[in-house]
Amino acid sequence: MHEDANGGGRGVGSGVRGSGVDQPEFLALERELTVLLRRARANQGEMAREVHPDLESSAYGLLVRLDEHGRQRATELAAYIGVGKATMSRQLRALEDLGLVTRAPDPADGRAWLVELTDEGRSRVGRVRDARRARYAGRLADWDPREVSELARLLHQLNLGMEK
């Protein structure tokens, strides 16, 4: 069963002709992305609690970014996550208090801070990410590996298109 983003009704701009928004494939895309995003938000909260019971759901993506890309400036992280300096500073303070990240002055620019996962943070995030991939593997065990690769490729293409 699928959930509808707008209760099955027509959303703003849904009557625009010639733009494709009223085409069945875009209606199906909207419906499926709505379900996927709802589940992703719920899963993010669960994963955040698995990393640390006091971790805010919104901070999980920040930890994953640091896990994948290593040490970064706080301003780069804020831009990536899409939050302001004050919000990023508050989140980083909370992550430091939990022992998951450390901050140090950037040697190239004493005004900037570099943020990185602590060993404990890396270990906790790694365990949660490994468990998450194992769940995906279990749920998609009956898929052909080429289908999984194609899904990943298409989602990557979608994400790139959304950045425009």
Side-chain angles (χ1 to χ4, degrees):
M1 180 169 159
H2 295 293
E3 296 175 18
D4 193 355
N6 54 18
R10 291 231 176 245
V12 175
S14 62
V16 176
R17 296 283 176 210
S19 65
V21 297
D22 59 343
Q23 299 299 315
E25 58 271 16
F26 287 102
L27 294 170
L29 176 64
E30 177 194 19
R31 184 175 36 260
E32 296 305 327
L33 284 175
T34 298
V35 172
L36 179 67
L37 294 171
R38 179 193 53 82
R39 288 182 177 151
R41 279 190 299 273
N43 287 338
Q44 184 170 327
E46 292 172 16
M47 290 179 291
R49 285 185 296 281
E50 288 176 25
V51 170
H52 193 285
D54 297 328
L55 183 64
E56 289 182 25
S57 175
S58 60
Y60 180 77
L62 180 60
L63 295 175
V64 169
R65 178 72 177 187
L66 289 168
D67 188 42
E68 290 181 351
H69 296 277
R71 182 169 73 166
Q72 294 185 16
R73 286 185 175 186
T75 53
E76 291 171 325
L77 292 168
Y80 174 76
I81 299 293
V83 299
K85 290 180 187 178
T87 300
M88 181 55 56
S89 182
R90 181 188 59 78
Q91 284 188 337
L92 291 176
R93 244 187 330 275
L95 292 171
E96 276 185 302
D97 291 346
L98 295 175
L100 301 173
V101 302
T102 186
R103 287 190 286 181
D106 184 345
D109 180 356
R111 300 166 296 164
W113 291 89
L114 290 174
V115 182
E116 66 183 319
L117 290 173
T118 61
D119 290 341
E120 179 68 15
R122 191 171 294 102
S123 173
R124 287 176 179 244
V125 170
R127 280 194 306 268
V128 171
R129 293 187 77 199
D130 288 348
R132 183 182 194 187
R133 283 191 303 278
R135 283 193 299 270
Y136 289 154
R139 289 181 180 151
L140 302 178
D142 58 340
W143 284 39
D144 184 298
R146 291 174 301 219
E147 292 174 319
V148 175
S149 292
E150 179 67 0
L151 176 60
R153 186 190 70 75
L154 290 170
L155 287 171
H156 178 73
Q157 187 175 335
L158 175 66
N159 285 325
L160 289 176
M162 296 302 209
E163 290 177 3
K164 293 178 183 177

